[in-house]
Amino acid sequence: MKGPGILWMLETAVGLSMAGPMFVVGVDFLRTGQPVAGIGFLLLGAVALFLPSYLVRRIGGPRAWIRRRLGREETRRSSALERFRDR
């Protein structure tokens, strides 16, 4: 069975480190009788928890970054070779 990858663990750690304090503040606001601020911080924490995963899915993972980088270098090389052959 394949476990979670290192990138998934980094995304989770970053999300929790951003969202954890927001959850604590939200619960504290709810406990002290300020429900609007409490719910606002809980919602903000939920957004911060999933934001790193969303961004990585949106721009692609490391494999996509490597593929894009290698693709750019290959097109540069091929166009340079074509220009050299034309002369």
Side-chain angles (χ1 to χ4, degrees), residues 28-78:
D28 190 43
F29 274 130
L30 287 174
R31 198 174 52 98
T32 59
Q34 299 173 350
V36 176
I39 291 172
F41 269 100
L42 290 175
L43 289 174
L44 193 61
V47 168
L49 181 63
F50 295 109
L51 187 64
S53 297
Y54 171 76
L55 289 176
V56 168
R57 271 187 266 125
R58 182 82 175 145
I59 61 176
R63 289 181 185 155
W65 302 336
I66 292 170
R67 261 188 252 121
R68 277 189 229 132
R69 184 74 177 157
L70 290 177
R72 287 181 190 154
E73 288 178 5
E74 288 176 6
T75 56
R76 286 183 199 157
R77 288 180 187 160
S78 63

Side-chain angles (χ1 to χ4, degrees), residues 2-15:
K2 190 175 178 182
I6 188 76
L7 186 62
W8 179 84
M9 288 187 258
L10 285 173
E11 290 171 20
T12 305
V14 168

Side-chain angles (χ1 to χ4, degrees), residues 73-87:
E73 288 178 5
E74 288 176 6
T75 56
R76 286 183 199 157
R77 288 180 187 160
S78 63
S79 62
L81 279 174
E82 290 171 5
R83 280 185 261 150
F84 183 71
R85 289 180 189 166
D86 292 338
R87 290 183 185 183

